[in-house]
Structure formats: C-alpha cells, structure tokens
Amino acid sequence: MTQESKTKKKVHKIIEELASRDEGKVIGALKKVPHDGNKEVIVPLLRLLATEPSSEVQLLLEKSLHNLKDPSCVAPLIESLKDEELSQIRAEILTCIWQSGLDASEELEFLVQLSIDGDFMIAVEVMTIIDNMEGFPDDPLTNSIKLMDKALDSNHENAKLLGNIRQILLGKLLDLSLIHI
C-alpha cells in the first residue's frame, strides 16, 4: 500500500468517524485531525460544528479549525461560506480564516460582499480578516471599495462598521500605492 493510499484511508476513516453518533468516536477522530487530516476534513468538521455539539467536541473542533496552516484550506473554507446549509455558522467559518492566519486575499471581493450581505458578526469577522492580511492586488481593492461605497449610499444597517471596513481597504490601497512610488 502506497503512502498516498494510506493517507486517503486515514482521512476517509476520520471523515466517517466525524459523522458518527457516538461522541467517543467523534472525539477520537478530532484528536487525529491535526496529525492525519487534510483539506478534505474541513467541510465535515464544519458540518459537525453546525450541529451545535457538546462543549468538549466544540473545543476540539475550534482547536483544529483555528490552527489550519495549509494554504489549500482556503478553498474549502470559501466554498463553505457559499453553502446555504452552513449559513448559520458563517461568522465561525470566517473566524477560522483569520485565526489560522490563512491568506484569503484572492477572495477579497467575495468577502467584502459577504460583509455587506451578512449580519453584524459576519462584517466584524471580515473586517478582522482584511485588517490582518497583506498583499492585495490593486483591482480587487478598488472594486471592494466601490462595493462599500454602494452599500454606504444605501443607508446600510451596519453603515458604521462597513465604513470602518472601507477605511481599512483605503489604507491598504494607500499602502500599495506607496510601495509603487
């Protein structure tokens, strides 16, 4: 058996145990995630989080989800933000991105739109992600500022918070401009 097939087998077993009704199996699977997990376990972890698990399971979930270091984890997190079945935990998914220090700069416009369309906590989490990221391309920054301008023109319910996000975006654009001088 090749190393790749051993890894796939371990990941498949973790995913299977995460879906178990036996909390002992779930806890066992969660303890294996840091060593044997990969980006394929992210969606099952988030689905488990959405079930409002026990405090012990919740703690282990957060430990795993807040320590994702593999850049390939960004894609399943972003896809999960688009999944209506996980809409009630969008703020928690966004927390996973910034807590893990993942670079979601290529998804800037999507995140900004999410902050506009989402509730207050989603906007707070997006603001934290943007504030902690560096290296944005010029066009997405400009487009994101335009999205914010449009939202602020419509007397958005979270106008003050969106205004703060807009200021952060402007600061990032200014930093980018100064680099190119």
Side-chain angles (χ1 to χ4, degrees):
M1 187 180 283
T2 67
Q3 185 63 32
E4 187 178 329
S5 62
K6 284 181 185 177
T7 301
K8 281 185 178 182
K9 192 172 184 175
K10 285 180 180 179
V11 168
H12 179 71
K13 180 117 173 103
I14 290 171
I15 291 170
E16 191 177 281
E17 290 175 352
L18 287 172
S20 174
R21 294 192 186 276
D22 179 348
E23 188 168 298
K25 282 186 179 181
V26 171
I27 290 170
L30 287 167
K31 289 180 178 179
K32 294 175 196 169
V33 168
H35 305 289
D36 299 326
N38 63 20
K39 67 180 183 174
E40 292 175 39
V41 302
I42 291 174
V43 173
L45 288 171
L46 294 172
R47 292 200 184 290
L48 179 58
L49 182 63
T51 66
E52 299 179 12
S54 70
S55 59
E56 184 178 3
V57 170
Q58 175 94 19
L59 187 65
L60 289 169
L61 274 168
E62 288 174 359
K63 187 175 180 181
S64 292
L65 289 167
H66 293 174
N67 289 294
L68 303 169
K69 299 302 176 201
D70 182 354
S72 70
C73 294
V74 174
L77 289 168
I78 296 298
E79 288 308 309
S80 296
L81 288 167
K82 297 173 184 176
D83 185 342
E84 282 305 313
E85 290 181 27
L86 297 173
S87 63
Q88 77 276 17
I89 62 163
R90 281 189 180 130
E92 289 88 343
I93 296 169
L94 292 163
T95 301
C96 297
I97 294 171
W98 70 262
Q99 281 279 349
S100 295
L102 294 171
D103 179 6
S105 59
E106 290 188 20
E107 299 294 337
L108 179 62
E109 291 174 67
F110 169 74
L111 292 172
V112 166
Q113 191 61 55
L114 197 62
S115 74
I116 293 166
D117 296 339
D119 63 21
F120 183 81
M121 282 311 299
I122 288 173
V124 167
E125 298 299 341
V126 168
M127 182 174 72
T128 304
I129 290 169
I130 294 169
D131 200 27
N132 287 299
M133 283 193 309
E134 300 293 330
F136 294 104
D138 188 14
D139 287 344
L141 269 172
T142 304
N143 293 340
S144 295
I145 292 166
K146 288 177 184 174
L147 286 171
M148 279 298 172
D149 288 343
K150 198 175 194 180
L152 291 168
D153 285 345
S154 67
N155 294 321
H156 196 281
E157 65 181 307
N158 293 327
K160 186 171 178 143
L161 181 57
L162 295 181
N164 289 341
I165 295 171
R166 184 181 181 281
Q167 285 303 115
I168 292 168
L169 292 166
L170 284 169
K172 302 278 183 186
L173 187 60
L174 181 60
D175 290 347
L176 190 62
S177 300
L178 292 174
I179 290 171
H180 294 296
I181 292 178

